[in-house]
Amino acid sequence: MKQFLHLISSLLAAVRQVFLSVLNYFKRLKESRSRYYSRRRDRKRAASGKTLSQNEKSLDIVYPRDLNPDIGKLPTENIVRQKPAGPENNRSSIFTQLKHMFRTAAGNIQETAGRRIRQTKSKRPPRTTGRRIRQSAGRRIRPAFVIAAAAGVFVLAGLITYASLRSKNVYTLDVTLNGDPAVVLEYGTAYEEPGAAASYRGSVIHSNDQADLPVETTMEQAPEDLGTYIIRYSAEYEDMKAGAMRIVHVVDTVAPELTLTTNPDAYTLPGHPYEEEGFTASDNHDGDLTPQVKSEEKDGHVYYTVSDASGNTATADRAIVYDDRTAPVLTLKDDVPLEIIVGDDWKDSFTAVDDLDGDITSKVKVEGKVDNYKEGTYTLKYKSEDAHGNASTAERTVTVKPLPKNDPSLAVNGEKIIFLTFDDGPGEYTAELLDILAKYDVKATFFVTGTGDYLDLIGREAAEGHTVGVHSLTHDYDKIYADEDAFWEDFDAMNDIIEQQTGSRTNIMRFPGGSSNTVSAGNEGLMTRLTVQALKKGYDYYDWNAYDGDVYETTDPEQISQNIIDEIQQQSISVVLCHDIKEYTKDGIEDAIRWALENGYTFLPITYGCFECHHEVQN
Ligand code: ZN
């Protein structure tokens, strides 16, 4: 089609060229005729002396209108939608121009002929010259008409062609995008506007085409954040408007960066859950995504995933390092005495707990052993090792000291003397008590009774260096304190038993309830009389100035011991009242003995006249 249109354009140009040639011919013809008449008129004027009329003079300047040399480029106007641009003469209709040209040419010819006629009439030439004039006029007019007719045909053909082309010509204003109409832009990448071009163009006739017209680009928002943006392009030319648009999709296809923190010293105990070493996640668009990271521990690995808002997912995994580098915690219990006296029970106590193996106390290896029946210093070395070879060691020393021994020779100044006295026995605990006393080489005094099943122990008491004194056969207050006879009858019977058991009678005694008793109040002044009688009979009676509290105050062995310790510190020589028929007395006595020995006291048995310890008689 375009080829065809160009062909038509060429044809039109050819027609134009021919037309112009015709016009030039007319112009030259007119000029030659003008010059002829001018010379002739000059000759006549010279002969007659007349001047030209105004009308005649104006004839000389009647030329065809000066044709637009650009007529071939004519109207690039859009006859459908667009008025043409250009100079004013370009805007006038081609028909008008052509018509004018034609009329001018024809009119010129007619006027030339008419002038000839008018000139002929005005001059009233003689008839004789009429034929010549007609002949002359006829000869000159005929070729002009032929040529005009030919030109007319050409013009008509051109006009028809042009009209045909023009009817098909459509002007359009187009905006053409540079680059793609749909752009996918990665987030963070600067958008570079490719721009657009606008052109104004005829579909057939191109003489009025305009390229590179200004295009206005508008966008409501710069395509920076994620989303879809529309960029509009518009152009205006004459009264036409055209536009185009481009869609820009800003997308995020970049996954977050997931970084694992690794501590070279970190490890996980086999069978234990992994303890997170740390991680960070950041996204080019969403920023810090660390809180969104999900992790899953599976088959010795930890798998991490995190996704950004655009659905880009980053993953990472780490192999868990399983190990155990922590040794068991070996603890030696501090409630185990590090110093004991030979014969004391001694039992070790410790624990070993491993972070992986748990309680492995039973696997602790102890090098060394404490012999609690043998004096000496024992070093114990402990070693606890877990299943992974991590070991803890510890060490402690236990000293087994010799028994402190009572040494009567130390009691030279009568300082820190203790007379332990036991009433109301012997009983079922007396034998054990004798063992304890023997252990520390402590000698005591037993004020015995004769109603129990252990009378044979009276002999042992004496045999082991203890003092045996009379207390009472029956210990029956009502009976013995009825009167003096009753008392001494009971007393003598007891001393008989002592003699049977020990081989000798004793001159040491203790009144049941003490010389200060009031249980004898039924016989007024009885104790006053009995105490004097006792001394006159050669007996030395002993009350007490210290008491272990084992009758009314306590049944606790520790308290028994503490009472003795407290009481013996109240005076330099103590006579301590105890009862060997009480189990708790037997149990508490040893600690008191040990304390006293370690604190410089000396235990002595009562001997006749060794020390006076009399209560104030109350009856
Ligand atoms: Zn008693």
Side-chain angles (χ1 to χ4, degrees), residues 423-424 449 471 475 477 511-513 579:
D423 289 8
D424 300 354
T449 59
H471 193 35
H475 209 290
Y477 287 139
F511 290 102
H579 297 80

Side-chain angles (χ1 to χ4, degrees), residues 78-83 170-173 200 239-241:
N78 182 342
I79 60 170
V80 177
R81 297 164 55 188
Q82 180 62 35
K83 291 181 180 175
V170 175
Y171 274 96
T172 54
L173 178 62
Y200 176 76
D239 58 353
M240 291 185 74
K241 290 181 179 177

Side-chain angles (χ1 to χ4, degrees), residues 104-180:
T104 304
N108 199 29
I109 294 166
Q110 283 175 344
E111 277 208 35
T112 304
R115 188 177 58 203
R116 166 61 58 199
I117 293 167
R118 282 195 306 273
Q119 283 176 340
T120 304
K121 284 181 178 174
S122 66
K123 290 170 184 174
R124 298 177 190 267
R127 290 190 68 89
T128 51
T129 59
R131 182 171 166 251
R132 186 175 53 90
I133 290 169
R134 278 194 303 274
Q135 283 176 337
S136 175
R139 189 178 61 245
R140 291 174 189 275
I141 288 168
R142 191 173 297 119
F145 272 113
V146 171
I147 291 167
V153 169
F154 273 113
V155 168
L156 194 59
L159 284 174
I160 291 168
T161 305
Y162 182 78
S164 170
L165 292 177
R166 189 180 162 109
S167 69
K168 293 175 182 174
N169 188 35
V170 175
Y171 274 96
T172 54
L173 178 62
D174 288 316
V175 173
T176 308
L177 296 181
N178 298 328
D180 295 330

